[in-house]
Amino acid sequence: MPRKWYRGDTHLHTTNSDGALRLYELIDKAKKNSLDWIIVTDHNYNSIEKSYSSDGLTVIQGQEITVQAGHVNIWGAKVPAEPPYDIPDEAAYSAMMERCREAGATVCLNHPFCSQCGFRVPIDGFPADCVEVWNTIQHSDNVRNLNWWVAQLMKGRRIAAVGGSDFHRDQIPGIDMLAMPATITFAESNTPEAILSALREGRSVITCRPGTSMIELNVGGAGLGDTVGLSGGLNGTCVATKLLPGFELRVFNNDKIIYSHKAKSYEKSHRAEFAVLEPGFVRAEIDVRLSGPVKKLFGAVETKYLAPRSEVPPVTADELFWAFTNPVWVEE
Ligand SMILES: [Zn+2]
Ligand SMILES: [Zn+2]
């Protein structure tokens, strides 16, 4: 079946844990926001017994395992244990994630470097399918998540990136925080199985919210999550949409930038062509540089909201990402 793009959100709370909306209110809001799928992930609680479809919206069963060691999303199958969970250390947590995968679940490491509730145990060896690189409204902790994810990719580990709004309520007046960020999956259909396998296979673009910039990356005919051979030379294209002045599109081949373009004025669409040089992976990102009064203001806001409960003082990044793709894999 030909794949299509489906907009969704991997990480949502309701009144069944500490969210403000009842499940039906959250579902109504997702429909109003024209989402195709959502995963409901209340803390240590199954709000949905079984995934289903409602007026075209796919509602996927999930749970956020929430313990001191760190938070993990379990999607598409129930946690094969009852809370309160006894997972105090790395070995116990890793074993729990293995059990969840054996039960058929897709497992995602949530906000790993959150300065308030990140992981307190090492995560490099965790058996996860996905990592939530972008959690809630964009902030500097997500840059640390991205750096960890890229380091994993550089080691050859195929762990897929996702975004999750971690929606609890609309906290900031005038800003709809559902699907902020949005995870846009390239899936064979909008069934729970097809969406979850697209998430696991890294067939997703994460963008600030639905309707903002999108990035379509193609390398030698291969798309996100696919593998293509380098032999005899390899070229690619990347189309990025809705670039605001100052936005910079970058295409990476491993840790090298092989294409960059900074928008001087609004660009509805920008097309890049590039040659791929090395085996490994190709991925694309749209970045926004923070400087002067903007960085100062942003830093003050982050200090106010992140510092009080953080274990390490938050460091405001010089640059934030606005959208990014998962990789296309390149073999010799
Ligand atoms: Zn969490
Ligand atoms: Zn959460």
Side-chain angles (χ1 to χ4, degrees):
M1 214 184 290
R3 290 193 172 92
K4 280 170 53 183
W5 293 104
Y6 296 99
R7 298 165 164 187
D9 195 336
T10 66
H11 188 164
L12 304 165
H13 296 277
T14 73
T15 48
N16 289 325
S17 61
D18 54 352
L21 300 186
R22 294 184 175 88
L23 178 61
Y24 75 88
E25 292 171 320
L26 180 71
I27 288 170
D28 278 353
K29 188 172 168 71
K31 288 177 185 169
K32 281 196 194 98
N33 290 25
S34 303
L35 298 186
D36 298 303
W37 56 270
I38 56 171
I39 313 180
V40 182
T41 53
D42 275 305
H43 299 289
N44 299 342
Y45 188 82
N46 295 312
S47 279
I48 292 165
E49 285 299 304
K50 198 172 182 304
S51 305
Y52 63 96
S53 174
S54 167
D55 302 329
L57 176 74
T58 298
V59 182
I60 301 174
Q61 197 266 340
Q63 184 181 131
E64 184 174 21
I65 292 183
T66 310
V67 294
Q68 271 301 100
H71 301 184
V72 164
N73 266 341
I74 304 300
W75 301 325
K78 286 184 183 168
V79 178
E82 289 299 320
Y85 302 121
D86 181 25
I87 31 181
D89 55 24
E90 187 186 358
Y93 215 139
S94 185
M96 171 63 110
M97 291 164 78
E98 205 67 81
R99 284 182 64 197
C100 290
R101 285 169 110 190
E102 279 162 18
T106 299
V107 171
C108 179
L109 285 166
N110 290 354
H111 45 74
F113 293 90
C114 173
S115 47
Q116 297 177 353
C117 31
F119 273 85
R120 288 165 174 83
V121 294
I123 54 172
D124 280 26
F126 271 20
D129 302 290
C130 303
V131 55
E132 186 187 58
V133 166
W134 189 339
N135 172 263
T136 192
I137 194 164
Q138 188 58 297
H139 62 293
S140 299
D141 290 344
N142 288 328
V143 175
R144 298 195 290 155
N145 297 338
L146 182 86
N147 291 342
W148 179 84
W149 174 61
V150 172
Q152 299 295 305
L153 301 181
M154 289 298 294
K155 289 180 198 165
R157 183 175 179 196
R158 297 190 176 195
I159 183 166
V162 302
S165 74
D166 208 350
F167 183 84
H168 286 77
R169 57 187 57 74
D170 283 321
Q171 280 158 313
I172 305 170
I175 298 183
D176 188 333
M177 293 182 72
L178 183 66
M180 193 172 186
T183 299
I184 306 183
T185 47
F186 199 49
E188 287 180 355
S189 67
N190 193 23
T191 60
E193 297 73 25
I195 296 300
L196 291 172
S197 69
L199 289 172
R200 283 195 302 274
E201 290 163 11
R203 301 186 191 280
S204 319
V205 174
I206 295 88
T207 188
C208 188
R209 56 181 305 115
T212 54
S213 298
M214 182 60 187
I215 310 174
E216 295 215 28
L217 180 65
N218 186 294
V219 179
L224 306 183
D226 290 335
T227 303
V228 63
L230 182 62
S231 62
L234 191 59
N235 293 301
T237 59
C238 179
V239 177
T241 64
K242 299 184 181 176
L243 300 179
L244 296 173
F247 279 19
E248 188 162 352
L249 169 68
R250 290 178 179 140
V251 180
F252 294 86
N253 181 196
N254 303 329
D255 54 353
K256 297 181 180 65
I257 296 173
I258 53 171
Y259 182 92
S260 72
H261 167 78
K262 194 167 187 172
K264 289 190 180 68
S265 54
Y266 177 76
E267 290 182 55
K268 196 174 168 198
S269 174
H270 178 85
R271 182 185 159 90
E273 291 184 18
F274 51 85
V276 177
L277 308 170
E278 296 176 356
F281 61 88
V282 176
R283 66 179 192 89
E285 188 176 310
I286 298 171
D287 294 310
V288 188
R289 179 154 278 278
L290 298 173
S291 60
V294 175
K295 186 175 177 189
K296 219 172 151 184
L297 176 68
F298 192 75
V301 172
E302 285 202 328
T303 304
K304 180 169 188 283
Y305 289 100
L306 297 180
R309 288 201 291 140
S310 84
E311 291 176 348
V312 283
V315 178
T316 294
D318 292 325
E319 218 168 49
L320 296 170
F321 45 93
W322 176 259
F324 70 101
T325 72
N326 271 277
V328 178
W329 297 98
V330 180
E331 284 179 354
E332 289 279 6

